[in-house]
Amino acid sequence: MLSGRTNEEVRADPERVWRSDLPAERASLQVGGREIDGVGDDELAALDELGGSGSWVVFGRTLRVTNLDKNLFPAREGEEPVTKRDLIRYAAQVAPVSLPYLAGRALNLHRFPDGADSKGFWHKELPGHAPDWLPRWDNPEAGPGETRTYLVVDEAAALVWAANFGALEWHPWTSPTEAPDRPSYVMFDIDPGEQTTWEQTLEIARLHRTALDHMGIRGYPKVTGRRGFQVWVPIRRGPSFADTRAWAEKVSRSIGAVVPELVSWSWSVKERGGLARLDYTQNAVNKTLVAPYSPRPAAGAPVSAPISWDELEDPELRPDRWTVRTIVERLAERGDLFRSVLQAGQRLPRVR
């Protein structure tokens, strides 16, 4: 009964994700499964019928959406630019699937109000003009000048609001608001260097697969939507960020020792000599990695897409293969390949 529910309640509702890191009243979250549900055709048609701005009722909330025809992402070859309307539509479509990875967590927003071609900036403090219904969290540890009130996407409409706010990327904390110093995951971030080829990046990703298999640990990969890979390892509540960072560093250095010609441990990009970095330093409080299904600020609006380990052998795999225009179809065909990352309970084995 880690979720605070009885076994009978869980069995009676198999289409929901049961979260042990949320209180009982919020432990069950509906996910899309193999069908993207939650937003109806009528709601999407109403969005399409709006002019440049207007009020849109979605997920039971009335949102003021603006500048809908503004191009936010440059076009890929043979395609049209991605507009703000497209982004908001995508946020509504993917919200039921994304919600379990965002709920109960402070959200850092990477905003590009003038589009992906402009200089973006991080926005953490929930603005004073935000609607009263938006879920939020006041960080009790915030010092003077630090962010105190964060957006928490505990309901689907909050993600649509973030998209309208110009958030092209969604970065949730890796720890829940109930225990911000206790991470839910160990993060591995494979960051290719300027000289790293795609085949070399795949080789490094396969080494992560081998290492986790050897330790009997479940890890879930996703392409970043830009150049590299991330691997999320779900863990039981207990280890601190210092623990997970130390563990990730040992694993990363063991992997790097197999291919020292491909990996640099220098912090500065200039000092890496074009080599890849295995960034274990993301395992820290208020450090974030881009959420599953979040867009990235690049041509065509690529998304950070979960993959299966077997897809490392797919010759068509690329880190920016799926976009806001194609990932919904993939979800309908394959389901949410990241869903099992929500099943915690793993203990980290010792690594020498």
Side-chain angles (χ1 to χ4, degrees):
M1 284 207 327
L2 290 177
S3 68
R5 304 286 182 165
T6 65
N7 291 334
E8 289 72 20
E9 284 178 298
V10 174
R11 282 195 293 268
D13 203 2
E15 295 304 316
R16 301 175 83 88
V17 171
W18 294 88
R19 296 272 298 276
S20 62
D21 59 344
L22 293 178
E25 66 270 15
R26 290 198 289 119
S28 172
L29 295 170
Q30 183 71 45
V31 296
R34 291 189 175 272
E35 293 184 4
I36 310 302
D37 56 73
V39 61
D41 291 340
D42 290 345
E43 291 169 299
L44 294 177
L47 175 65
D48 292 338
E49 291 169 3
L50 287 177
S53 299
S55 294
W56 185 38
V57 179
V58 63
F59 299 117
R61 300 291 188 184
T62 301
L63 301 178
R64 175 69 180 172
V65 291
T66 59
N67 301 315
L68 292 173
D69 296 321
K70 184 175 186 176
N71 292 336
L72 288 185
F73 300 84
R76 285 187 173 182
E77 185 176 356
E79 298 180 0
E80 295 294 323
V82 176
T83 66
K84 190 175 181 183
R85 191 191 309 267
D86 296 328
L87 174 64
I88 291 173
R89 180 187 182 93
Y90 170 71
Q93 288 177 302
V94 82
V97 179
S98 297
L99 194 60
Y101 309 110
L102 304 174
R105 299 176 188 275
L107 190 66
N108 297 347
L109 303 177
H110 204 184
R111 293 185 61 210
F112 295 77
D114 294 323
D117 278 342
S118 66
K119 184 174 178 58
F121 58 93
W122 288 100
H123 194 128
K124 301 179 182 180
E125 186 77 36
L126 191 67
H129 61 74
D132 291 341
W133 59 264
L134 275 179
R136 61 200 68 201
W137 173 63
D138 289 329
N139 182 6
E141 301 298 325
E146 294 181 337
T147 302
R148 175 166 295 276
T149 304
Y150 288 83
L151 172 66
V152 179
V153 178
D154 277 350
E155 61 170 280
L159 188 61
V160 181
W161 177 89
N164 184 67
F165 192 47
L168 270 55
E169 291 186 311
W170 315 322
H171 288 242
W173 283 26
T174 57
S175 56
T177 57
E178 284 83 5
D181 60 340
R182 300 293 169 180
S184 305
Y185 316 105
V186 178
M187 301 295 199
F188 294 96
D189 188 14
I190 304 172
D191 184 13
E194 294 178 358
Q195 304 302 318
T196 308
T197 68
W198 176 237
E199 285 304 319
Q200 290 170 338
T201 304
L202 288 171
E203 181 179 358
I204 296 172
R206 292 184 186 111
L207 288 173
H208 281 73
R209 176 179 62 187
T210 300
L212 295 178
D213 282 348
H214 178 74
M215 292 184 289
I217 290 289
R218 291 181 292 112
Y220 299 90
K222 64 185 180 72
V223 292
T224 62
R226 299 303 292 267
R227 299 192 63 224
F229 285 94
Q230 295 168 3
V231 182
W232 291 25
V233 176
I235 60 172
R236 66 177 180 85
R237 176 73 61 79
S240 67
F241 278 104
D243 297 329
T244 57
R245 176 175 170 142
W247 189 85
E249 179 178 4
K250 289 180 179 179
V251 174
S252 296
R253 289 193 181 275
S254 297
I255 292 171
V258 179
V259 283
E261 72 281 6
L262 301 183
V263 174
S264 170
W265 301 104
S266 297
W267 176 263
S268 170
V269 173
K270 293 181 179 179
E271 296 176 358
R272 294 180 202 168
L275 300 181
R277 175 175 169 79
L278 307 184
D279 191 0
Y280 54 84
T281 66
Q282 298 294 337
N283 294 280
V285 67
N286 200 4
K287 288 277 190 177
T288 62
L289 291 179
V290 66
Y293 308 109
S294 169
R296 307 305 302 273
V303 300
S304 185
I307 64 171
S308 67
W309 283 115
D310 290 345
E311 286 182 288
L312 293 178
E313 321 306 328
D314 184 349
E316 296 185 4
L317 182 65
R318 292 293 182 273
D320 59 353
R321 178 176 177 180
W322 293 282
T323 72
V324 298
R325 288 177 170 143
T326 62
I327 192 66
V328 173
E329 181 179 356
R330 173 175 166 85
L331 277 164
E333 293 174 352
R334 298 291 304 274
D336 179 10
L337 297 178
F338 227 51
R339 181 168 175 171
S340 293
V341 82
L342 300 171
Q343 298 173 5
Q346 290 192 118
R347 295 177 180 270
L348 298 178
R350 285 189 176 182
V351 180
R352 293 183 179 179

